[in-house]
Amino acid sequence: MDSSNFYQEQRGTGPGTSVQPTASEIKQGFAPGPTTTPALFTPLKIRSLTLKNRIAMSPMCMYSSHDGFATDFHLVHTGQYALRGVGLIMMEAAAVAPEGRITPNCLGIWKDEHVEKLEQITRFAHTNHASIGIQLAHAGRKASTNAPWLIKVHGANADEEHGGWPNDLIGPSPVPFSDRSWMPAEMTIEQITSIQREFALAAGRARRANFDVLELHGAHGYLIHSFLSPISNRRTDAYGGSFDNRIRFLVETVRSVRTQWPINRPLFVRLSMTDWVEPSGDIPTGGWTEEESIELAKVLAQEQVDLIDCSTSGSSPLQKIPLELGYQVPFAHAVKRNVPQMLSAAVGLITTAKQANSIIESKHADLVFIARALLREPNFVLDAARQLDAFAQYPHQYERGRSKPKHSFI
């Protein structure tokens, strides 16, 4: 063993892998005896990639970039989860164009210069045997806002004085998110084609940065979702009106992205499975629906998409979300039931190891995305193994911190 290699090969596939404790580890009290592997810690193969467990870090905006560049914050923030065993680390939404950022401080991937720092981050993840992905996004009509901690100072919307671009917002139709939001301009066909090209170029940069997984952000009222939902899409051309027309922007974007993203690497799409808006005379369905999401998943399965990341909402301030633990899990289950050729992921108020394991064990989803719980508990994965009576590989540097179910002085 090379003593100069801080990241020498470990049992299994690195931190977060379910392994059997050695006789010495049992004797020292780190495990009561041989263990079994709970569903949450079984591997998942997607194309050429095998995830070591079923726990993914959900993409969460960190509002810590300058001109779209990843910073040392991103290296440290992302790196901690590589050390602590997360099966798939999904980096936050990266804008494919500068005007596609949610805030002036959001991550970007619209120019080649962004690749260098991103590649440093993926290199550290891979050194620690972690898989890592990135989410490609365009905020559309919900762009040019302020980071959460700046809202009390500057207000919700970022004007030009504070680095915003209120005159450059675009969407499928000139329909603002709310009466307090910026007004988007209706996209021309040329702009639609241009943005789809930007998604493809961004996919190429993600490939060069050595990401393992790519996810397209088609949820939460941002550009792709705004084409899907009749709340925000009032077009009368080939990109609006009927179901087939409203999904056209996403389907064409997926095809464009696949020209730059290798066929052996997984491609995910995050969807808002429903807008959670009551039907009205103006919009009889209320907005985008679960039934439409299922039909879209069937289409995407034919377009080389591997997994639907099942979220909800974001199209309207009139939404009524029935918040409770695991409230979005039924949508992931619906994808599994109705589109068997498509993998699904559950996300939203998944807060404990037992809850996450139950979702996988009951086959309601293939993967669980954990968000705020990982911010609160960076050691969530390694602690989850202990809570589920499994034994997970630790990073060598942290091995002395492993909990002992049975205390020993050896």
Side-chain angles (χ1 to χ4, degrees):
M1 182 178 290
D2 181 3
S3 62
S4 67
N5 180 4
F6 302 133
Y7 308 106
Q8 58 264 56
E9 289 299 317
Q10 304 179 63
R11 282 177 290 170
T13 50
T17 306
S18 177
V19 295
Q20 283 299 320
T22 64
S24 174
E25 287 165 332
I26 294 172
K27 186 176 181 181
Q28 292 180 71
F30 289 116
T35 61
T36 58
T37 299
L40 192 60
F41 283 85
T42 56
L44 176 64
K45 183 172 176 57
I46 314 173
R47 296 189 185 262
S48 63
L49 179 69
T50 300
L51 302 180
K52 57 191 173 186
N53 59 52
R54 305 298 184 97
I55 302 171
M57 184 178 80
S58 194
M60 292 175 281
C61 292
M62 292 288 112
Y63 314 104
S64 300
S65 295
H66 301 289
D67 190 28
F69 282 90
T71 62
D72 287 346
F73 171 87
H74 294 91
L75 175 62
V76 175
H77 167 68
T78 306
Q80 68 177 320
Y81 297 108
L83 283 171
R84 295 176 185 274
V86 173
L88 173 63
I89 302 162
M90 187 66 73
M91 282 193 71
E92 66 197 84
V96 302
E99 69 278 5
R101 291 171 292 171
I102 300 169
T103 77
N105 306 112
C106 282
L107 188 66
I109 193 169
W110 68 80
K111 53 186 175 182
D112 293 343
E113 290 81 0
H114 288 148
V115 171
E116 182 179 2
K117 189 68 175 183
L118 293 172
E119 197 277 330
Q120 181 188 9
I121 294 168
T122 64
R123 184 168 63 249
F124 184 82
H126 291 150
T127 299
N128 288 278
H129 310 286
S131 298
I132 184 167
I134 193 167
Q135 186 186 69
L136 301 187
H138 193 295
R141 67 180 186 151
K142 296 179 79 172
S144 194
T145 62
N146 280 311
W149 54 84
L150 294 176
I151 291 176
K152 290 184 179 180
V153 181
H154 302 307
N157 296 325
D159 56 22
E160 291 174 336
E161 181 183 356
H162 297 104
W165 49 98
N167 297 318
D168 295 324
L169 268 67
I170 55 175
S173 304
V175 180
F177 173 70
S178 74
D179 56 10
R180 293 177 292 177
S181 303
W182 301 124
M183 174 66 75
E186 181 170 309
M187 293 172 69
T188 65
I189 297 299
E190 290 74 21
Q191 286 176 313
I192 288 174
T193 302
S194 176
I195 292 298
Q196 290 171 333
R197 187 183 310 117
E198 295 291 355
F199 270 97
L201 291 172
R205 296 183 189 105
R207 182 192 71 241
R208 296 199 298 278
N210 291 322
F211 284 98
D212 302 300
V213 176
L214 200 62
E215 178 171 272
L216 301 186
H217 197 346
H220 303 163
Y222 300 121
L223 186 63
I224 291 175
H225 183 196
S226 69
F227 270 89
L228 298 176
S229 177
I231 291 173
S232 44
N233 186 346
R234 308 294 177 87
R235 300 177 75 97
T236 58
D237 63 4
Y239 291 92
S242 70
F243 169 79
D244 288 339
N245 283 357
R246 284 182 285 117
I247 71 170
R248 190 182 308 278
F249 178 78
L250 172 55
V251 172
E252 290 180 350
T253 301
V254 167
R255 291 172 182 168
S256 187
V257 162
R258 265 299 182 195
T259 67
Q260 298 297 317
W261 186 245
I263 197 66
N264 67 327
R265 296 193 201 183
L267 177 61
F268 297 179
V269 172
R270 171 165 277 193
L271 292 178
S272 279
M273 298 288 291
T274 177
D275 284 336
W276 292 122
V277 176
E278 294 293 328
S280 66
D282 187 32
I283 304 175
T285 61
W288 181 252
T289 67
E290 178 182 358
E291 292 74 21
E292 289 176 308
S293 292
I294 296 299
E295 291 307 306
L296 175 56
K298 294 175 182 177
V299 173
L300 294 177
Q302 303 302 314
E303 298 291 345
Q304 305 298 329
V305 171
D306 301 291
L307 179 145
I308 301 298
D309 179 2
C310 300
S311 191
T312 64
S313 71
S315 271
S316 170
L318 299 177
Q319 63 193 16
K320 296 180 180 179
I321 305 172
L323 287 176
E324 61 180 358
L325 291 177
Y327 71 104
Q328 294 175 152
V329 174
F331 297 105
H333 190 201
V335 170
K336 283 191 65 65
R337 287 197 318 270
N338 294 286
V339 196
Q341 67 272 37
M342 178 72 78
L343 298 172
S344 75
V347 65
L349 285 178
I350 300 171
T351 62
T352 69
K354 289 185 178 180
Q355 179 194 11
N357 187 65
S358 175
I359 292 166
I360 301 299
E361 192 172 54
S362 61
K363 302 188 185 303
H364 286 181
D366 300 287
L367 192 65
V368 290
F369 274 98
I370 308 294
R372 289 169 176 81
L374 272 170
L375 297 182
R376 292 189 296 269
E377 307 168 54
N379 215 50
F380 183 96
V381 176
L382 300 177
D383 288 345
R386 175 174 51 81
Q387 293 162 14
L388 296 171
D389 298 323
F391 191 82
Q393 178 64 45
Y394 262 55
H396 292 318
Q397 296 90 336
Y398 294 178
E399 186 69 55
R400 287 171 296 173
R402 186 191 290 275
S403 297
K404 289 186 177 183
K406 182 178 72 173
H407 293 289
S408 167
F409 292 101
I410 299 176

